[in-house]
């Protein structure tokens, strides 16, 4: 057999095998927070100690497009089959990355609601392989959490939701253009118009130039590709959205979110919008309300599979 043929056959098979393993967990380690950290969490997170006892938190390394990507998974300790939620973090590179403590506050909290909760750091972050692209191929790192969940005995992958914050909102919208697997999605302070973000926050131009392939050659077009304001009709119509936004958010200007929700209304996409007066980017002033509404929305559309009401004018 020709040596060149054997070489290319080997490369082809190896690549196919790597992609076939997308979502496979290469490493997982239990996370136990120091008692001093738990004590600090209890000061601002009601029931933190009990929730940390009831939920198993693990750091994971999983495969995505042949890369070893870092993340976390939180699972209720009580045996059973649970609906799932994928959380998309904000920030970029190590800014906004999930630490053990942040993963506990976010994922353990959601798992305590009766969900298997999982999150990615995106490729190239937290010691993972590859390079993130701020809404490019790293969207696959989100989508490859679906086959990861399918390998978890406690995960019911017929019921999956998604929850993204800030840049994670952008990742959520992009993911929803590629699949209708998600029964519902929640976005908090989510980026929907990166062109406006660049105008209002000049420093983001440097971030985009560093992370987005081809940015210097086609600045506006690569940002439009990542901005849901320009393609609301491409978001899966069977996935209802819950959108949170604060009126005092300087990181994601409220105007772009208001413009986006208007586009959702015009395209008759099912959504609920909550605008918090004086709320900052993290909506820390309203954390308990945000949690309560997020849980109710996930329970309604993901856990229980309730259909949304008609979007056409009706009633008395």
């Amino acid at each position: 057999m020709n040596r060149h043929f054997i070489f290319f056959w080997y490369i082809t098979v190896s690549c196919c095998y790597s992609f076939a393993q997308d979502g496979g967990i290469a490493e997982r380690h239990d996370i136990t927070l120091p008692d001093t950290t738990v004590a600090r969490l209890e000061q601002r997170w009601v029931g933190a100690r009990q929730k940390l006892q009831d939920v198993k938190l693990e750091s994971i390394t999983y495969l995505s497009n042949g890369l070893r990507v870092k993340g976390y998974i939180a699972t209720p300790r009580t045996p059973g089959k649970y609906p799932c939620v994928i959380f998309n973090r904000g920030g970029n590179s190590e800014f906004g990355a999930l630490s053990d403590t942040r993963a506990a506050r976010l994922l353990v909290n959601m798992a305590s609601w009766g969900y298997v909760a999982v999150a990615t750091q995106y490729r190239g972050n937290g010691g993972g392989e590859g390079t993130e692209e701020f809404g490019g191929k790293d969207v696959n790192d989100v989508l490859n959490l679906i086959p990861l969940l399918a390998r978890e005995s406690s995960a019911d992958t017929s019921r999956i939701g998604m929850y993204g914050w800030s840049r994670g909102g952008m990742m959520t919208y992009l993911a929803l253009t590629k699949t209708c697997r998600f029964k519902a999605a929640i976005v908090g302070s989510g980026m929907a118009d990166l062109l406006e973000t660049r105008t209002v926050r000049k420093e983001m131009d440097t971030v985009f130039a560093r992370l987005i392939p081809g940015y210097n050659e086609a600045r506006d077009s690569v940002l439009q590709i990542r901005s849901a304001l320009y393609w609301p009709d491409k978001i899966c119509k069977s996935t209802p959205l819950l959108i949170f936004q604060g009126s005092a958010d300087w990181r994601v200007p409220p105007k772009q979110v208001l413009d986006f929700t208007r586009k959702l209304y015009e395209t008759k996409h099912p959504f609920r919008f909550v605008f918090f007066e004086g709320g900052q980017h993290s909506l820390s002033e309203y954390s308990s309300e945000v949690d309560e509404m997020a849980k109710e929305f996930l329970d309604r559309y993901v856990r229980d599979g309730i259909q949304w009401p008609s979007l056409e004018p009706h009633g008395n």
Side-chain angles (χ1 to χ4, degrees):
M1 186 178 292
N2 185 283
R3 285 183 299 171
H4 294 294
F5 175 81
I6 294 175
F7 173 76
F8 286 113
W9 175 85
Y10 173 79
I11 293 297
T12 301
V13 171
S14 297
C15 290
C16 291
Y17 179 77
S18 296
F19 281 90
Q21 298 303 305
D22 281 346
I25 295 182
E27 297 178 17
R28 61 196 308 164
H29 303 285
D30 288 357
I31 300 295
T32 301
L33 297 181
D35 193 66
T36 53
T37 301
V38 176
R40 286 199 304 272
L41 284 173
E42 281 190 306
Q43 295 175 10
R44 58 184 187 277
W45 177 20
V46 177
R49 189 175 299 275
Q50 186 61 54
K51 291 176 181 179
L52 288 165
Q53 292 174 357
D54 294 341
V55 173
K56 181 178 183 181
L57 177 65
E58 300 171 274
S59 64
I60 57 174
T61 302
Y62 71 101
L63 300 181
S64 179
N65 299 158
L67 300 171
R68 293 165 65 92
V69 178
K70 300 294 184 176
Y72 287 90
I73 187 168
T75 310
R77 292 188 183 277
T78 302
K81 277 282 190 180
Y82 295 94
C84 310
V85 59
I86 292 174
F87 180 79
N88 298 326
R89 52 156 281 209
N92 65 87
S93 303
E94 299 308 310
F95 174 71
L98 295 171
S99 63
D100 292 353
T101 303
R102 288 196 72 225
R105 177 64 183 90
L106 294 167
L107 300 187
V108 169
N109 192 48
M110 286 187 280
S112 73
W113 301 343
Y115 292 81
V116 176
V118 65
T120 179
Q121 297 276 37
Y122 310 127
R123 59 188 60 188
N125 299 327
E129 297 176 345
T131 304
E132 71 165 301
E133 298 183 358
F134 208 83
K137 293 179 182 177
D138 47 3
V139 175
N140 291 332
D141 303 338
V142 173
L143 296 172
N144 284 327
L145 293 174
I146 299 175
L148 182 153
L149 288 168
R151 293 175 167 90
E152 296 294 302
S153 60
S154 58
D156 178 358
T157 52
S158 69
R159 298 180 293 166
I160 308 180
M162 185 172 282
Y163 195 160
W165 205 276
S166 191
R167 174 265 181 90
M170 174 193 70
M171 302 295 279
T172 298
Y173 296 138
L174 288 166
L176 294 180
T177 68
K178 300 178 183 299
T179 179
C180 286
R181 288 288 302 273
F182 298 100
K183 302 299 184 183
I186 303 171
V187 172
S189 306
M191 300 176 77
D193 184 0
L194 276 65
L195 281 84
E196 193 214 23
T197 296
R198 183 184 61 192
T199 299
V200 175
R201 298 178 57 195
K202 304 297 185 183
E203 75 278 8
M204 291 303 295
D205 187 64
T206 302
V207 174
F208 297 154
R210 175 170 56 87
L211 294 177
I212 299 177
Y215 177 71
N216 290 325
E217 291 72 38
R219 295 160 62 88
D220 289 357
S221 63
V222 298
L223 293 186
Q224 287 180 354
I225 289 171
R226 291 160 168 78
S227 301
L229 179 69
Y230 297 92
W231 33 261
D233 55 312
K234 293 184 178 180
I235 298 172
C236 179
K237 277 287 198 298
S238 63
T239 304
L241 299 170
L242 170 59
I243 299 173
F244 298 130
Q245 180 63 37
S247 67
D249 183 353
W250 65 267
R251 291 188 180 276
V252 174
K255 179 181 180 300
Q256 67 176 258
V257 179
L258 292 168
D259 289 344
F260 176 58
T261 56
R262 178 174 55 82
K263 290 287 188 70
L264 289 175
Y265 175 75
E266 291 171 353
T267 58
K268 294 186 178 179
H269 192 104
F271 77 97
R272 182 180 300 178
F273 177 52
V274 185
F275 197 49
F276 291 91
E277 66 279 11
Q280 62 166 307
H281 186 63
S282 66
L283 291 177
S284 58
E285 306 95 333
Y286 297 96
S287 58
S288 59
E289 290 180 56
V290 167
D291 274 359
E292 183 179 346
M293 284 187 276
K295 181 182 183 303
E296 191 277 335
F297 196 78
L298 290 173
D299 287 351
R300 172 180 292 270
Y301 293 116
V302 178
R303 186 191 67 185
D304 300 337
I306 294 174
Q307 292 296 307
W308 59 85
S310 170
L311 302 182
E312 299 296 333
H314 63 283
N316 297 327

